[in-house]
Each structure stands twice: as structure tokens, then as C-alpha cells.
Amino acid sequence: MPIYEYECRQCGQRFQQLIMKPEEEKELDCPGCGERKLDRLISRVAYHVSEADRLSTYDPGARQEDSFYRDSRNIGLHAKKQAEKMGVDLGGAFESKLEKLRTDPGSVLKDSE
Ligand SMILES: [Zn+2]
């Protein structure tokens, strides 16, 4: 079930909301000031799935939405899936590089210079 993060256009308060049905989003208002004009922060979309679940449902052949790429936890998923298919163990070095890429993309670029 997706949890979305919203930012109030009026007071800037951010809050998270579990959305079960698209209609629920229209009913939302800011918990701080009651404003109904909210921006959904697409990059913060959080799904309650583990990386293993992501990997098993990830289809390397499918076209992904822009939001897929904006979710930093999806970085490296493609490479992992390919490696899994070929039976390659990417090892801990790959994992730590991936973690760096996900949390601080700039540092990886500097490292490879
Ligand atoms: Zn507000």
C-alpha cells in the first residue's frame, strides 16, 4: 500500500498519508492549517516492500515511469536483476557503492574521477 508524502502549499507542513483509493487523495487537507491545496512529493513515494520484493516484481523489459527513477531505492535494481539472472554475486562492494549512490549520488561521481 503506498504512503505518499504531501506538502501544504499554504504553510509548508509535510505529512505522510496512506492512500488506499485515489478518491481519498481529494479529501485530504493539511493537518496544520486545513488547506486543501497540497503537493504530492513524488520522489518520496514509499512502498512497504522489501528490496527482495522489488527485485522479484521488477521487469527489466518494461518501460518505467519517471517516478520509478526518482525513487532512489530503485537505483541499481536493473543491474541487480541482470546479475541475479546470470547467477552473478555482485558482492558487498557493489552493495556499498549502491548504498552510496542512493544516499549521496555526488560522492560516487567524485570517487570515480
Ligand atoms: Zn498547511
Side-chain angles (χ1 to χ4, degrees), residues 8-13 15 29-35 37-38:
C8 174
R9 288 191 193 176
Q10 184 67 34
C11 70
Q13 179 165 338
F15 61 98
D29 49 23
C30 169
C33 69
E35 174 61 52
K37 291 195 183 75
L38 306 167

Side-chain angles (χ1 to χ4, degrees), residues 75-95:
I75 294 174
L77 212 58
H78 189 80
K80 277 192 158 182
K81 188 79 182 185
Q82 295 301 107
E84 196 184 55
K85 256 197 205 163
M86 294 183 289
V88 176
D89 182 9
L90 294 170
F94 181 82
E95 285 288 343

Side-chain angles (χ1 to χ4, degrees), residues 24-94:
E24 285 183 339
E25 196 169 32
K26 299 190 194 99
E27 312 278 302
L28 281 179
D29 49 23
C30 169
C33 69
E35 174 61 52
R36 287 238 161 155
K37 291 195 183 75
L38 306 167
D39 288 322
R40 190 160 82 188
L41 305 176
I42 294 172
S43 62
R44 297 290 192 86
V45 172
Y47 287 87
H48 278 204
V49 290
S50 68
E51 186 171 84
D53 286 342
R54 278 170 184 268
L55 265 178
S56 66
T57 55
Y58 175 64
D59 176 3
R63 238 185 96 88
Q64 302 294 338
E65 306 272 336
D66 281 355
S67 60
F68 177 85
Y69 295 106
R70 276 188 227 127
D71 186 339
S72 64
R73 286 163 305 177
N74 287 323
I75 294 174
L77 212 58
H78 189 80
K80 277 192 158 182
K81 188 79 182 185
Q82 295 301 107
E84 196 184 55
K85 256 197 205 163
M86 294 183 289
V88 176
D89 182 9
L90 294 170
F94 181 82

